[in-house]
Amino acid sequence: MKNIKNKIILSLFAVFVMTGSMIAFADKAPAAKEVNLNLAAATKAPAANVSAQPANAGSYICVTPLAVVANPDKYLNQKIKFKATFDKFSTLGLDYKPAFRDSQKYISFLIKRDDVTDHTIPLSEMKIFIKRTDAEKFIDLDSGDIIEVYGKVFSNALTDTWMDTDKLVVVQKKNKNNKKKA
């Protein structure tokens, strides 16, 4: 009962926050399409080679987002990678104490559910976090762009999936036919 109450409260909070979350991202500017995000050494790392995969790319488990959401316990503390359709940047899940990511340093983004084709429904059960400084490099992402996400599931609070992004790759722009290699 408490878990359901927490989900309802979090969902209501997310609806209110999401309505104003895109203000910071209103001005679009050309930016890099791919960045290697090393969360452990973000301040010490030199400029990343944008065409390289993470150094330990072989250690990432290739999954589907729906499989992870269906069984978040199975993927807890695992490095995963998946392709998805970008929906929008959001503040969903930020500053939630059991799976804390500071809203001053992080922003989350939503991907579209791939099991619903006739409507646009975000996969809100998956909270995907990226550092704000790294997210600024992807300001030109549009809803419908195909992305590849490398990251680590760090929590299963509220029986949802909470993950940090190690690397984000734009595979295909919705309005352009050029593909980037990962």
Side-chain angles (χ1 to χ4, degrees):
M1 181 70 177
K2 185 177 180 182
N3 191 17
I4 293 171
K5 183 179 176 183
N6 285 343
K7 278 192 172 185
I8 291 170
I9 291 170
L10 185 61
S11 296
L12 289 173
F13 175 75
V15 168
F16 289 112
V17 172
M18 286 172 50
T19 57
S21 66
M22 293 306 295
I23 293 172
F25 297 102
D27 295 327
K28 293 186 176 184
K33 303 291 185 240
E34 177 181 338
V35 175
N36 187 6
L37 310 176
N38 184 350
L39 297 176
T43 57
K44 299 177 187 174
N49 178 355
V50 293
S51 64
Q53 290 184 345
N56 54 357
S59 66
Y60 288 84
I61 302 167
C62 189
V63 297
T64 63
L66 289 174
V68 177
V69 167
N71 195 354
D73 297 334
K74 178 180 178 182
Y75 297 98
L76 185 61
N77 297 317
Q78 298 291 318
K79 290 185 174 187
I80 61 173
K81 67 178 178 178
F82 56 85
K83 284 188 181 177
T85 305
F86 178 80
D87 187 36
K88 67 184 112 211
F89 286 101
S90 171
T91 57
L92 182 64
L94 291 168
D95 297 323
Y96 178 65
K97 297 295 181 198
F100 187 74
R101 290 297 179 264
D102 186 356
S103 60
Q104 298 295 320
K105 296 178 183 176
Y106 290 89
I107 190 156
S108 59
F109 61 92
L110 294 168
I111 58 174
K112 294 183 181 181
R113 295 187 70 92
D114 58 2
D115 60 342
V116 179
T117 56
D118 56 343
H119 293 78
T120 298
I121 301 177
L123 186 62
S124 59
E125 301 91 337
M126 181 177 270
K127 281 67 171 177
I128 311 169
F129 300 99
I130 185 170
K131 288 194 173 193
R132 284 185 178 270
T133 54
D134 296 323
E136 290 171 1
K137 298 169 185 160
F138 296 98
I139 197 71
D140 64 339
L141 274 176
D142 294 315
S143 182
D145 291 347
I146 306 299
I147 58 173
E148 188 169 37
V149 181
Y150 292 79
K152 182 177 181 181
V153 177
F154 68 88
S155 179
N156 59 357
L158 299 174
T159 65
D160 283 350
T161 303
W162 302 71
M163 95 179 253
D164 282 324
T165 302
D166 295 332
K167 180 180 178 182
L168 182 62
V169 178
V170 177
V171 176
Q172 182 179 357
K173 294 290 289 172
K174 177 177 82 170
N175 296 327
K176 296 179 184 173
N177 288 332
N178 6 344
K179 268 192 171 179
K180 291 265 181 181
K181 292 184 180 179

